[in-house]
Each structure stands twice: as C-alpha cells, then as structure tokens.
Amino acid sequence: MNRQCTRSGCKGRAVATLTYVYADSTAVLGPLALQATPGCYDLCAGHASKMTVPQGWEVIRLAEPETLVPEPDEDDLLALANAVREVGFSDGSGSGRQAGDPDTIVELGRRGHLRMIADAHRHG
C-alpha cells in the first residue's frame, strides 16, 4: 500500500484513513485502509496528527499514525551495516568456503522484514 495523502497539495505518503460518520457527528481516524474508498480520506502522518473536526463532533483515533508505519532509523541502519561489516571481517579463512547447511541456520531475531540469522554449528 503506497498511496499519497489526499490533502490538496500534499505529496506525503498516506499512513492513515479518515472516515466521517455524519449521522453520529463522528470522525474515525484509523490505520491505512487496504484499498482507497470513496468518501474516505488517506492522510500522511503530519495531516493525521493535526486533523481537526467541526465543533461538537467526536474524533475516534484507532491508532496513532506514527506507530503505523515507522520510518527507518539512522541508528538501525548503522547497526545493520556494522553487523554485516563485523561478520565479514571476523573470519579470515572464509574465502572459498561454502554457505552453512540450511538445516543448521537459526533465527536470532526479527525486526520488521529483516531477520538476524546464524549458523548454529559455527557460532554454537
């Protein structure tokens, strides 16, 4: 889901969907809907956090936009680069070496779509 904010002139990436329930004088701000729907508004994090409603209306916030789509953190990227560099320099005899047996690969951790894995025989 890579949609643009529907606010006029905004080029930001949408992270939340705003829906109005006119009969109840309620605005519902929740996670980005799977599909764009007529009558709903996709908002970027900035517009979602600053959204206001008419006086007398109620706002229901199902989730904060910042928690829906976290931006990559520079510290995370540096830590990943350092970990890869450390593994690359840790074994000087690694040239010409075959990759570990897939049955011995274990997952040490996961963050989003990234996984940290190790060969159990090598590091066990």
Side-chain angles (χ1 to χ4, degrees), residues 18-97:
L18 174 65
T19 306
Y20 291 107
V21 183
Y22 292 97
D24 297 331
S25 299
T26 303
V28 179
L29 182 67
L32 185 62
L34 296 176
Q35 297 178 342
T37 307
C40 294
Y41 303 91
D42 295 334
L43 301 176
C44 65
H47 283 117
S49 65
K50 296 175 187 168
M51 189 218 39
T52 60
V53 295
Q55 187 174 359
W57 279 54
E58 180 182 2
V59 178
I60 297 174
R61 294 180 185 268
L62 299 177
E64 289 298 316
E66 292 79 14
T67 63
L68 297 174
V69 181
E71 294 295 322
D73 184 73
E74 186 175 338
D75 291 338
D76 291 341
L77 296 175
L78 288 174
L80 178 60
N82 288 335
V84 169
R85 194 174 299 116
E86 186 177 309
V87 169
F89 289 127
S90 69
D91 186 11
S93 64
S95 60
R97 197 177 131 125

